[in-house]
Amino acid sequence: MKYKMCVMGMGLMALAGCGGGGGSDSTEDFERNGDGGLSAFEGTWIRTNDNYYTANGQTFKLRRQTIVVEQEGDQLRFTDCIEGTSAVATVDNNTVTFLSAGIPSLQVVNDATLQSTLDFGGAKTDVVLTKVSDETEYRIADLDLEVRVPAVVSNWDQVCVETVLQGSTLIKVKTVDNASAVSVGLNIVLSGAVSPGQYEFPSATQSLDGYLNSAQDVTLLNPTGTLIVTESSTTDFLLDVEFENDVDSTLVSVDGSIYFDPVWFAND
């Protein structure tokens, strides 16, 4: 069965997700608001693109993303929280229309749900965006993570997640500490589905890299250490890894846990 909780499409085109969120049960409140109701859309969303074959409904790719929506006058800006790319849209007659060419429109179900279906003949993509918070800086995954840069940074104001399930599993995590002006990104590729166990780095079958943006922006390479995955009510990643940075090869340590809602890795 296909996972249908959330999806969307843009040149950004892949948002993914699910999750709770406030909002009216119809579009009536949105239409009645004097300002067009656009402020109700501000916050953090999860978009899920469910790509499946038309003939049998079998999913061949699931992509889930963190999207931040902000009101700019009489328009909305949709930003891919991981990549930082964005697109501006207007809302009229319950349709979200993007001003950039090539980005399909979305239908407003209510101020916490947007959706669309893209038909490519032999394949379709269901896109659903679901709002998870009114905050535009939101921790979409819980974490207890220390990064030594060389000072220790551990107070994160924002956490964004993206996952792509397509045979292998791609997990992207971005964390931001505004006080220290530090952001850290991690890109994890597992050869199959996310399964409990211990993953060693370096590895011929898994990969782990990232970046550190602070006073000096560096790429994190050549990891050495472990990733331990456990499952309970959350899917937990325990990291104890050291990276080389691409500027002077000094080591950057990443140590701690990330607690994911299992829906980020759900196949149905």
Side-chain angles (χ1 to χ4, degrees), residues 61-74:
K61 180 179 180 180
L62 277 167
R63 185 175 184 179
R64 302 179 173 99
Q65 294 171 280
T66 306
I67 302 297
V68 175
V69 179
E70 298 172 285
Q71 182 180 357
E72 295 183 351
D74 59 355

Side-chain angles (χ1 to χ4, degrees), residues 131-264:
K131 189 176 183 181
V132 295
S133 174
D134 291 332
E135 299 177 30
T136 56
E137 290 191 351
Y138 180 70
R139 294 165 50 118
I140 209 158
D142 291 329
L143 77 170
D144 180 13
L145 197 69
E146 291 187 347
V147 180
R148 293 172 179 83
V149 295
V152 175
V153 181
S154 60
N155 297 314
W156 307 107
D157 301 298
Q158 184 179 38
V159 180
C160 308
V161 175
E162 176 179 340
T163 60
V164 180
L165 310 183
Q166 192 179 22
S168 60
T169 302
L170 168 64
I171 305 122
K172 295 184 178 183
V173 179
K174 177 183 177 182
T175 63
V176 179
D177 179 353
N178 291 323
S180 302
V182 170
S183 61
V184 176
L186 297 174
N187 306 311
I188 305 166
V189 178
L190 304 181
S191 58
V194 173
S195 301
Q198 181 166 312
Y199 302 85
E200 299 288 343
F201 296 96
S203 170
T205 56
Q206 328 291 337
S207 67
L208 175 59
D209 61 27
Y211 62 85
L212 167 64
N213 294 335
S214 58
Q216 191 174 39
D217 297 341
V218 301
T219 301
L220 304 179
L221 302 168
N222 302 323
T224 301
T226 59
L227 163 64
I228 298 173
V229 177
T230 61
E231 291 182 347
S232 54
S233 59
T234 57
T235 300
D236 305 336
F237 281 31
L238 174 61
L239 284 162
D240 185 3
V241 179
E242 286 188 333
F243 296 90
E244 293 178 8
N245 76 65
D246 67 338
V247 175
D248 57 17
S249 297
T250 57
L251 297 181
V252 175
S253 173
V254 178
D255 183 16
S257 299
I258 309 172
Y259 308 97
F260 296 95
D261 188 315
V263 75
W264 288 102

